[in-house]
Amino acid sequence: MSNIERNAVAVLGCGTVGGGTAKILVEDCEFLRQRTNVPVRLKYIVDVNFTHARALGLPEELYEKDLDKVLADPEVGVVVELIGGTTLARTFICKALKAGKNVVTANKALLAHYGAELFALARENGVVIGFEASCGGGIPIIRALYDGLIANRNEAIYGIVNGTCNYILTQMTHDGKSYAEALAEAQTQGLAEANPTLDVSGLDSAHKLAIMSSLAFGKYVELSAIPVIGIDTLELMDVSAGQDLGYTIKLMAMARKYDDGKISTMVCPVFIDKNHPLAWVSGSFNAVSVYGHAVGHTMYYGRGAGSSPTASAVTSDIMSILTGAFQKYFNTLPIWADRIEKADMLEPSKAEEKFYIRINVIDKPGVLANVTAIFAKHDISIASMVQKNNGKDDNSIPIVIITHLAKEGDVADALQELNLLPELNGNSVCIRIMEEYKENI
Amino acid sequence: MSNIERNAVAVLGCGTVGGGTAKILVEDCEFLRQRTNVPVRLKYIVDVNFTHARALGLPEELYEKDLDKVLADPEVGVVVELIGGTTLARTFICKALKAGKNVVTANKALLAHYGAELFALARENGVVIGFEASCGGGIPIIRALYDGLIANRNEAIYGIVNGTCNYILTQMTHDGKSYAEALAEAQTQGLAEANPTLDVSGLDSAHKLAIMSSLAFGKYVELSAIPVIGIDTLELMDVSAGQDLGYTIKLMAMARKYDDGKISTMVCPVFIDKNHPLAWVSGSFNAVSVYGHAVGHTMYYGRGAGSSPTASAVTSDIMSILTGAFQKYFNTLPIWADRIEKADMLEPSKAEEKFYIRINVIDKPGVLANVTAIFAKHDISIASMVQKNNGKDDNSIPIVIITHLAKEGDVADALQELNLLPELNGNSVCIRIMEEYKENI
């Protein structure tokens, strides 16, 4: 690819991130040229509707509805997909790659589902796909994994990678709001979609974890292999009880590689010590901790979403492609199953954590004996058991149990049995307690 | 440069970082080849003494005392300078560049003093100088500035970039140790040199700030333009008084670019709010916050020193050079005065901060009137004034004064006048209070 002839960029989808990217390319075109020697220029904004583009004052002469015309333009070197979703976006990216265009995308759902297919198609056509903006918004975490940390056999990755969830959990923690109140507040602030399912279910975080953990470990971690628990059933009472114990609640995307090579992954709400390096990450910010065998713990923090932060990441990919730097990494990126082995996943039931378990018991003699007998039967060692006040006058008493390290499967079995006890009022609540990963350097 | 023929690496100086780098290149040679497709190999360990190399079990056949032989070897593509200092290291790097070898260095002192000359020499000879390990140890902060954040006109950079100082300050803060005790502890732990001057004086942080701020702002910030105050005169009493006020003490390397284009820089101990995003960075860890116009606040955290963390950064440069990626950035790096304008520096006396000032007054009528009159005369507005107990029986009372925003020059003038007051017992103490920079996104 000659940079001189193919420095024009087409942005597909002029929404929040597309608009932000177009603005940077228009306003900072000369600044970017000075920094890279590449005369980058935005040539097309492709959409079906230009209301948002007009509202941003983006030049009318860039508006284009005909994608085929854009793909036929030999000056276009990079097509930026910011449509979202996994249908149209997939079709358009495939067309662009087949037309010999490099692609930049922020679409984690698309990559988590179809990354292997798209990367293979890119390689067939001698082009690349930049995806910095797919994980952690403006945080340059993908680059850290493929470039800055290249010397590392990574051991663990822990990320707060969904700003909507982190905002909601911060509201619950700091302001004592219920989940419903905090979600409503997030929606008012424009930080949650009208339909927030993809975020609060944890699925968006799982998309990002599939991408980051494959890249970090050099083993293909399939999306479907990641157990996912969302934040949508969290009760304020447990958030508060955790705080009393010195914990902060976070939705964590976690992946670990054990000494025997097995990998375990999970997305779920966790309690972390309030002094844990990720505990202070609040509001809509994101952060990702990576543990490498040489570098030890490094952490990357920043805005995980939003127009200009995500556009910053998109633009870094555009420039890295136009200078030709990213091409030096793309072909050997250890990310999808076509180039690397599938991860040897630890059976999820065998993963070990500490657990916070809350049950509501009806105050009768012998009930605690029954409860503790079930834990003992399933080989779960109890670290502490505390009676809480639920403020209600219903003869049901919340008991908070903290376990020592226990297997996911054993805890699941114990909970199932517990929930059948006649002395239990409602189902038990279970939240994992994540300890800080210990560096091995 | 053809990668196939020039993939051999020579490490100059087999000390802590050199030994760590050699170990990675020997042990992970195949891993690195898989990740990059470049058959990198360590061919020479150049030193005058191989005791450390032997202790690490590095292969004898790599030991070489004759640098000229190494530079004459056409297979050597990268020479890694890990000797340190600014004399021999400078001579050897110049020789290597003239011999057409790419160079990787962790030497911040050398770059801060001779970076312009060395980069120009590299460009004349068609080679590059990688310097990721010069700032922040294993943290990929240099890459973030030249690649991940490339779309940003950066506004501010705040870094805890000296692990020795941060370890000492953490000991003073958490364990109530005096400066001398904490320094002795750092020396015992191998975290401070026998002669710790370069670290505790703040000069090492200034070297790093000169490099990072030039790169961040695209304006050449000269080392000599950075005001520097070390931690070696800090008293435990002030660290504690700050804690009582909700502050944590950190040695901060700070650079800001104002709306009018002027840049101010400083390295000094500062009080930051205990909830500030850099307050929890403790022990020998480093962290750098960067504020970009598009991305807002991003922060990078990790080990700022040590054998394998620094070797991780060195190795990322080696691989980026051998794949050819770094070459795409090197020629346009906005860092030294030969390519970019000199920074238009704000006159240091005009920089504004809040200040913590402690004076010991002899308890006499009218003394506070005299003190406050001096502040008023110099246009310094006082936010609070608190009498502390110094636990001594000497009729001298410590008074802690917190100012509103005030100019460095005004405060310096006021302190000079204060120190002449006969009611003062000993000189005043002055520590800057750094507020969290507000994003403009």
Side-chain angles (χ1 to χ4, degrees):
Chain A
M1 178 181 108
S2 154
N3 298 327
I4 308 306
E5 293 156 18
R6 296 189 62 197
N7 50 46
V9 177
V11 169
L12 270 59
C14 192
T16 305
V17 180
T21 303
K23 255 178 92 78
I24 287 181
L25 291 175
V26 168
E27 291 173 4
D28 292 321
C29 165
E30 176 55 22
F31 169 76
L32 292 167
R33 193 198 59 71
Q34 279 175 19
R35 287 196 69 171
T36 59
N37 235 356
V38 174
V40 57
R41 67 199 164 100
L42 181 64
K43 191 166 180 182
Y44 301 104
I45 297 172
V46 186
D47 211 325
V48 287
N49 174 323
F50 299 98
T51 317
H52 188 56
R54 277 193 193 96
L56 292 173
L58 292 165
E60 297 269 345
E61 64 269 26
L62 306 179
Y63 303 174
E64 179 57 60
K65 291 189 176 181
D66 182 359
L67 178 62
D68 290 331
K69 180 184 152 193
V70 171
L71 297 183
D73 184 339
E75 289 185 351
V76 172
V78 181
V79 171
V80 184
E81 181 275 307
L82 296 166
I83 300 165
T86 54
T87 50
L88 268 186
R90 182 182 175 198
T91 309
F92 292 169
I93 287 182
C94 288
K95 277 183 96 162
L97 294 172
K98 284 178 189 156
K101 306 301 185 192
N102 297 291
V103 166
V104 172
T105 180
N107 197 329
K108 42 268 178 190
L110 185 66
L111 291 178
H113 286 286
Y114 305 109
E117 161 198 324
L118 297 173
F119 275 49
L121 188 59
R123 287 168 182 147
E124 268 171 43
N125 288 280
V127 289
V128 302
I129 300 176
F131 57 106
E132 180 62 73
S134 68
C135 298
I139 308 169
I141 178 63
I142 298 295
R143 282 164 159 62
L145 293 174
Y146 72 62
D147 178 25
L149 302 180
I150 199 163
N152 289 272
R153 279 175 268 115
N154 295 308
E155 298 162 2
I157 179 161
Y158 294 94
I160 296 170
V161 289
N162 185 282
T164 305
C165 289
N166 205 47
Y167 180 85
I168 291 171
L169 296 180
T170 302
Q171 292 275 311
M172 292 176 77
T173 304
H174 292 335
D175 300 343
K177 290 190 178 156
S178 71
Y179 169 76
E181 288 166 345
L183 170 61
E185 172 70 24
Q187 285 168 326
T188 307
Q189 298 285 325
L191 293 168
E193 309 278 344
N195 177 355
T197 311
L198 195 60
D199 291 318
V200 300
S201 69
L203 192 55
D204 173 77
S205 296
H207 291 147
K208 292 164 181 165
L209 185 62
I211 296 168
M212 292 192 299
S213 58
S214 295
L215 202 49
F217 301 138
K219 302 281 174 187
Y220 177 50
V221 175
E222 260 178 308
L223 178 62
S224 60
I226 303 177
V228 183
I229 301 173
I231 64 165
D232 43 345
T233 59
L234 274 181
E235 291 179 51
L236 184 57
M237 146 162 219
D238 296 302
V239 174
S240 306
Q243 281 183 284
D244 294 345
L245 293 163
Y247 295 123
T248 300
I249 189 117
K250 295 288 169 197
L251 181 70
M252 198 68 68
M254 312 185 276
R256 263 187 77 174
K257 190 171 179 187
Y258 297 91
D259 288 344
D260 64 0
K262 285 202 187 292
I263 289 173
S264 78
T265 59
M266 189 164 192
V267 172
C268 61
V270 294
F271 281 130
I272 55 177
D273 188 283
K274 63 176 168 37
N275 296 314
H276 187 286
L278 294 172
W280 62 278
V281 177
S282 55
S284 63
F285 276 90
N286 280 194
V288 181
S289 276
V290 184
Y291 294 82
H293 88 289
V295 78
H297 183 197
T298 57
M299 200 264 274
Y300 308 84
Y301 167 88
R303 292 196 172 271
S307 175
S308 71
T310 313
S312 165
V314 168
T315 306
S316 71
D317 275 350
I318 296 171
M319 299 316 300
S320 180
I321 291 170
L322 290 180
T323 59
F326 184 59
Q327 284 81 344
K328 305 294 183 183
Y329 297 99
F330 185 74
N331 281 317
T332 54
L333 279 184
I335 182 164
W336 311 115
D338 59 336
R339 295 283 162 126
I340 54 173
E341 284 170 26
K342 260 193 169 182
D344 179 14
M345 302 299 285
L346 182 73
E347 166 60 47
S349 68
K350 290 186 180 154
E352 285 189 324
E353 296 286 355
K354 293 183 179 180
F355 292 82
Y356 162 106
I357 292 161
R358 175 171 59 82
I359 52 177
N360 293 319
V361 298
I362 294 156
D363 196 7
K364 273 194 209 166
V367 55
L368 288 188
N370 291 343
V371 167
T372 51
I374 292 176
F375 280 91
K377 177 181 161 195
H378 291 282
D379 238 4
I380 301 163
S381 170
I382 293 175
S384 72
M385 182 144 77
V386 177
Q387 181 174 323
K388 308 292 287 184
N389 187 340
N390 72 348
K392 293 179 201 160
D393 200 15
D394 62 355
N395 190 33
S396 106
I397 300 169
I399 308 269
V400 167
I401 297 159
I402 306 292
T403 75
H404 287 295
L405 278 182
K407 290 205 169 63
E408 285 277 349
D410 292 340
V411 172
D413 292 345
L415 293 179
Q416 202 166 23
E417 238 174 277
L418 268 178
N419 290 342
L420 296 174
L421 278 184
E423 301 94 328
L424 240 67
N425 189 0
N427 275 353
S428 52
V429 167
C430 172
I431 297 172
R432 281 137 197 90
I433 298 173
M434 189 185 103
E435 303 210 291
E436 191 176 345
Y437 182 80
K438 293 274 171 295
E439 294 174 322
N440 292 306
I441 60 164
Chain B
M1 179 181 107
S2 154
N3 297 328
I4 309 305
E5 292 157 16
R6 295 191 62 196
N7 50 46
V9 176
V11 169
L12 269 60
C14 192
T16 305
V17 180
T21 304
K23 253 178 93 76
I24 288 181
L25 292 175
V26 168
E27 291 173 4
D28 292 321
C29 164
E30 177 55 23
F31 170 76
L32 292 167
R33 193 198 61 71
Q34 278 174 19
R35 287 196 68 170
T36 60
N37 235 356
V38 174
V40 56
R41 68 199 165 99
L42 181 63
K43 190 164 178 183
Y44 300 104
I45 297 173
V46 186
D47 211 325
V48 287
N49 173 322
F50 299 97
T51 316
H52 188 55
R54 276 193 193 98
L56 292 173
L58 292 164
E60 297 269 344
E61 63 269 27
L62 305 179
Y63 303 175
E64 178 57 60
K65 292 190 176 181
D66 182 359
L67 178 62
D68 290 330
K69 180 185 154 193
V70 171
L71 297 183
D73 184 338
E75 290 186 350
V76 172
V78 181
V79 170
V80 183
E81 181 276 305
L82 296 167
I83 299 165
T86 54
T87 50
L88 268 186
R90 183 182 174 199
T91 308
F92 291 169
I93 288 182
C94 288
K95 278 183 96 162
L97 295 171
K98 284 179 189 157
K101 306 301 184 191
N102 297 290
V103 166
V104 172
T105 180
N107 197 329
K108 41 270 181 188
L110 184 67
L111 291 177
H113 286 285
Y114 304 109
E117 163 198 324
L118 296 174
F119 275 49
L121 188 59
R123 286 166 182 147
E124 267 171 45
N125 288 281
V127 288
V128 302
I129 301 175
F131 56 107
E132 180 62 74
S134 68
C135 298
I139 308 169
I141 178 63
I142 297 296
R143 284 163 156 63
L145 293 173
Y146 72 62
D147 177 26
L149 303 179
I150 199 164
N152 288 272
R153 279 176 270 115
N154 295 308
E155 298 163 0
I157 178 161
Y158 294 94
I160 295 169
V161 288
N162 185 282
T164 305
C165 290
N166 204 48
Y167 180 85
I168 291 171
L169 296 180
T170 302
Q171 291 275 311
M172 292 176 77
T173 305
H174 293 335
D175 299 343
K177 290 191 178 157
S178 70
Y179 170 76
E181 287 166 345
L183 171 61
E185 172 71 24
Q187 285 168 325
T188 306
Q189 297 284 325
L191 293 167
E193 308 278 346
N195 177 356
T197 312
L198 194 62
D199 292 317
V200 300
S201 69
L203 192 55
D204 172 76
S205 296
H207 291 148
K208 293 165 181 166
L209 185 63
I211 296 168
M212 292 192 298
S213 60
S214 295
L215 201 50
F217 300 139
K219 302 282 174 187
Y220 176 49
V221 175
E222 260 178 307
L223 177 63
S224 60
I226 303 176
V228 183
I229 301 173
I231 63 165
D232 42 346
T233 58
L234 275 182
E235 291 179 51
L236 184 57
M237 143 162 222
D238 296 302
V239 173
S240 305
Q243 281 183 284
D244 292 345
L245 293 162
Y247 295 123
T248 299
I249 189 114
K250 294 288 169 197
L251 181 71
M252 199 67 70
M254 312 186 276
R256 263 187 75 175
K257 190 172 180 186
Y258 297 91
D259 289 344
D260 63 1
K262 285 201 187 293
I263 288 172
S264 77
T265 58
M266 190 164 190
V267 172
C268 60
V270 294
F271 280 129
I272 56 178
D273 188 282
K274 64 177 167 37
N275 297 314
H276 187 286
L278 292 173
W280 62 279
V281 177
S282 55
S284 61
F285 275 90
N286 280 195
V288 181
S289 275
V290 184
Y291 294 83
H293 88 289
V295 78
H297 183 197
T298 56
M299 199 265 274
Y300 308 83
Y301 167 88
R303 293 196 171 268
S307 173
S308 71
T310 312
S312 165
V314 167
T315 306
S316 71
D317 275 350
I318 296 171
M319 298 317 299
S320 181
I321 290 170
L322 290 180
T323 59
F326 184 60
Q327 284 83 343
K328 305 293 181 183
Y329 296 99
F330 185 73
N331 281 316
T332 54
L333 280 184
I335 181 161
W336 312 115
D338 58 336
R339 295 282 164 128
I340 53 172
E341 284 170 27
K342 258 193 169 181
D344 179 14
M345 301 300 285
L346 182 73
E347 167 60 46
S349 67
K350 290 186 180 154
E352 285 189 323
E353 296 285 355
K354 294 183 177 177
F355 292 83
Y356 162 105
I357 292 162
R358 174 171 59 83
I359 51 177
N360 293 321
V361 298
I362 293 155
D363 195 7
K364 272 193 212 166
V367 55
L368 288 188
N370 291 342
V371 167
T372 52
I374 292 175
F375 279 90
K377 178 180 157 194
H378 291 283
D379 239 3
I380 301 162
S381 171
I382 293 175
S384 72
M385 183 146 74
V386 177
Q387 182 175 321
K388 307 294 286 185
N389 186 341
N390 71 350
K392 292 181 200 158
D393 199 15
D394 62 355
N395 191 33
S396 104
I397 300 170
I399 309 270
V400 167
I401 297 159
I402 305 293
T403 75
H404 287 296
L405 278 182
K407 290 206 168 64
E408 286 276 350
D410 292 340
V411 171
D413 291 345
L415 292 180
Q416 203 165 24
E417 238 175 277
L418 268 178
N419 290 343
L420 296 174
L421 278 184
E423 301 93 329
L424 241 68
N425 190 358
N427 275 353
S428 51
V429 167
C430 171
I431 298 171
R432 283 137 196 91
I433 298 173
M434 189 186 102
E435 302 209 293
E436 192 175 345
Y437 182 81
K438 293 274 172 296
E439 294 174 321
N440 292 305
I441 60 164

